[in-house]
Amino acid sequence: MPDELERPSGQPLVRKLATILSADVAEFSRLMGEDEEQTLRTFRGHKQIFESLVTGHRGRIFNTAGDAILAEFASAVEAVRCATDIQAALRTRNDQLPPNRQVRFRIGINLGDVMLHGEDLLGDGVNVAARLQTAAEPGGICISGSVHDQISNKLSLSFLSLGEMSFKNIQVPVRTFSITHAQGLGDLPSPKPRRAGNRSAKWIAAGLLLLAVLASGSYWAYTARQRSKAQPSLVIATAVQPEVTPREAPPASEPEAKKPEAKKKEEAPSPSNRTAPAATPRPSRKEAATGVHDGAPVPVPPATPASPPATPSTSAEGLYDQGVSLFKGKQFSQAAELYRKACDGGERKGCNNLGLMYYNGEGVAKDPNRAADLYRRACEAGGVGGCLNLASMYLQGDGLPRDPNRAANFYQRACDAGAPPGCTRLGLMYSNGEGVAKDPNRAADLFQHACDGGGSGGCLNLALMYKHGRGVPKDLSRAADLFKRACDAGLDKGCENLDRLKK
């Protein structure tokens, strides 16, 4: 897009203030390279919706080129409303397609001075919008500070500040925000914050970091010795997660509804939590080797024969079962293909397990973004495993931009679906004030809900709250009962606290 206006001599230069929406398709070249005809059909359908929504929000499209679309609005509010409606409508269409064939727009919006050139608009006002679009995630929206100032008190949106971003051929850094949630339309993908800085500032920061690391060595050694002597903290944020949902099997790989009685083990501790770490489990007890955890979700297929079924099934559920058998036989690429077919056939467990394979790079190239798409697909279909895995990625910033608020939303969905791990993890977030307002009472309610549903991690955390009188009245007898429940379920931390309470 030219940065300078060419105009016939003698014609007056006309300027005006306008809100510019710039959009293009993410990975358009890859999509075209894989299947030109299907990509063009999908793009044309998306474009018709795009154009109708622009018109409906009193805007006009003034330029298109390939997969890029530029639109003008007189109102920043209408431009942003249009953008959120576009992403919501296209997300519904994309949900009907396999994740790798979805045509997703990135959108940037800027309010600035532009120059008229016939029906076209040019200048920095347009160029900044185009650069903001490159900062957006596929399916996401980035806006400039000038737009944010106009709409922040007029629309029910949530924002993530990305700081002042430097863009190619734009002389002044641009205050940039990503829209993370639109009321009634759901969440939008958001990039990680990135702040502009100069070279000297980076060197100064690096020097300070080095000094901090050197200074912290002796302090860490001292505090490690002190922690080994200390009592457990109020609520251990590293508490293992409950093993089985009341309705479904373990949440890491998608539950097996036919075998709800088959218990799985607890979630591994999360390194991100800020309270005291859990003690090393005793070797005599079973250690968590399955289930969702914050570092790397691990698939837990239901118990099936190690060899493929003698009579292959073509149903989505049958394909999933065959995929499980192949996975157990370490035939990962064949398992991934069957999971893919099962997922495309509507089997949410296939989507979740295929996501796990993309997360771990088993049988397919490691691709956290693809894994997240598959988890989301499973979650939207009602699979708590997909919700838990997606929440874990957002909580840790592992393959996705760290977003505790979105993590809390997905843990809430899992909890509402009856999954104790979702209730326990959400309780920990309320206890720590991470992604949600700190609320010990709410945390205690969630731990109780998890414990009542068979989640030993919820019992353990609730026991600690009764022991210390945080969020609930102090009650050592109640704490002892809950520690015993956690201990009986195989949690060493429950046994250790129970022994300590009896002394």
Side-chain angles (χ1 to χ4, degrees):
M1 186 178 298
D3 290 330
E4 296 181 1
L5 178 67
E6 296 178 5
R7 60 189 176 93
S9 57
Q11 183 176 340
L13 184 66
V14 179
R15 289 181 176 272
K16 68 175 183 177
L17 193 65
T19 305
I20 305 299
L21 184 155
S22 175
D24 79 347
V25 175
E27 298 185 310
F28 192 66
S29 298
R30 175 187 66 78
L31 292 166
M32 290 289 287
E34 291 176 357
D35 191 333
E36 285 186 345
E37 293 185 359
Q38 189 219 22
T39 300
L40 283 176
R41 282 195 300 270
T42 304
F43 174 71
R44 286 169 183 162
H46 283 14
K47 189 177 178 184
Q48 288 179 355
I49 292 174
F50 196 114
E51 291 171 343
S52 66
L53 286 171
V54 168
T55 302
H57 285 277
R58 294 181 287 282
R60 75 174 183 97
I61 292 177
F62 63 86
N63 201 337
T64 62
D67 63 314
I69 302 175
L70 288 167
E72 171 197 10
F73 296 82
S75 162
V77 171
E78 287 299 325
V80 174
R81 278 179 176 158
C82 180
T84 56
D85 286 349
I86 286 170
Q87 295 294 33
L90 299 188
R91 183 170 60 219
T92 300
R93 284 178 56 88
N94 279 323
D95 284 345
Q96 310 305 313
L97 300 169
N100 66 324
R101 297 305 307 158
Q102 293 180 2
V103 176
R104 295 183 293 176
F105 279 90
R106 299 176 300 179
I107 295 178
I109 306 174
N110 178 50
L111 171 63
D113 192 79
V114 297
M115 297 178 286
L116 276 66
H117 185 56
E119 293 298 312
D120 204 355
L121 301 175
L122 299 172
D124 267 357
V126 179
N127 296 334
V128 169
R131 299 296 186 264
L132 287 166
Q133 158 241 299
T134 65
E137 292 289 296
I141 304 168
C142 279
I143 62 175
S144 65
S146 58
V147 173
H148 180 266
D149 294 344
Q150 293 294 316
I151 70 169
S152 58
N153 296 322
K154 299 180 179 70
L155 297 175
S156 297
L157 302 172
S158 298
F159 305 92
L160 172 66
S161 173
L162 303 179
E164 291 191 341
M165 300 185 71
S166 297
F167 295 108
K168 182 179 179 182
N169 295 331
I170 304 298
Q171 294 185 352
V172 179
V174 180
R175 281 192 303 130
T176 305
F177 296 83
S178 175
I179 298 176
T180 60
H181 183 86
Q183 186 173 0
L185 300 177
D187 295 334
L188 288 88
S190 299
K192 292 181 179 178
R194 182 185 73 180
R195 296 190 178 275
N198 55 45
R199 186 176 297 271
S200 61
K202 292 178 181 178
W203 279 108
I204 292 170
L208 291 173
L209 179 61
L210 178 60
L211 288 173
V213 170
L214 292 174
S216 67
S218 59
Y219 176 74
W220 179 88
Y222 169 75
T223 54
R225 289 194 298 271
Q226 294 300 107
R227 283 196 304 269
S228 66
K229 303 174 185 177
Q231 294 289 323
S233 61
L234 157 64
V235 177
I236 57 166
T238 53
V240 286
Q241 292 297 315
E243 64 279 42
V244 196
T245 74
R247 307 177 199 170
E248 302 182 277
S253 84
E254 192 55 41
E256 171 71 8
K258 298 178 181 179
K259 299 183 178 61
E261 74 282 2
K263 273 197 171 185
K264 299 300 174 184
K265 308 177 191 71
E266 297 288 340
E267 176 183 356
S270 160
S272 70
N273 296 301
R274 294 187 286 272
T275 52
T280 303
R282 301 172 185 173
S284 61
R285 291 190 174 268
K286 295 180 180 179
E287 175 60 28
T290 61
V292 180
H293 64 88
D294 291 340
V298 180
V300 189
T304 55
S307 58
T311 305
S313 171
T314 56
S315 70
E317 185 177 359
L319 291 167
Y320 168 76
D321 290 339
Q322 293 171 45
V324 168
S325 296
L326 289 168
F327 185 91
K328 293 181 72 174
K330 299 190 182 301
Q331 300 179 58
F332 296 133
S333 59
Q334 297 96 318
E337 183 59 31
L338 287 174
Y339 284 152
R340 182 178 291 108
K341 291 179 179 178
C343 178
D344 291 342
E347 177 53 75
R348 68 194 186 195
K349 294 181 289 187
C351 300
N352 187 65
N353 277 23
L354 182 59
L356 291 165
M357 296 189 77
Y358 272 104
Y359 182 93
N360 293 315
E362 293 175 310
V364 291
K366 190 179 177 80
D367 188 342
N369 289 327
R370 182 74 192 284
D373 287 340
L374 287 159
Y375 294 153
R376 185 175 285 105
R377 192 168 171 184
C379 182
E380 293 295 337
V384 295
C387 298
L388 289 166
N389 283 325
L390 194 58
S392 179
M393 293 182 76
Y394 276 121
L395 185 63
Q396 296 300 311
D398 182 13
L400 290 173
R402 175 168 159 75
D403 191 335
N405 181 258
R406 296 182 79 177
N409 289 337
F410 282 108
Y411 281 132
Q412 182 70 67
R413 291 178 67 168
C415 180
D416 291 343
C423 302
T424 300
R425 177 56 66 186
L426 187 61
L428 293 170
M429 297 183 78
Y430 273 104
S431 176
N432 293 327
E434 184 177 20
V436 291
K438 190 169 184 175
D439 188 342
N441 294 327
R442 172 71 172 145
D445 288 342
L446 286 160
F447 292 148
Q448 182 71 67
H449 190 58
C451 185
D452 291 344
S456 50
C459 299
L460 175 62
N461 282 285
L462 185 59
L464 287 166
M465 297 191 82
Y466 274 110
K467 179 182 177 181
H468 295 277
R470 299 292 182 87
V472 291
K474 186 171 182 177
D475 188 336
L476 297 183
S477 176
R478 176 71 173 142
D481 289 341
L482 289 162
F483 281 138
K484 187 176 186 306
R485 288 178 67 176
C487 178
D488 291 344
L491 293 186
D492 282 343
K493 200 70 177 174
C495 303
E496 291 168 8
N497 278 279
L498 182 61
D499 292 342
R500 197 174 291 125
L501 205 59
K502 289 179 178 178
K503 292 178 180 178

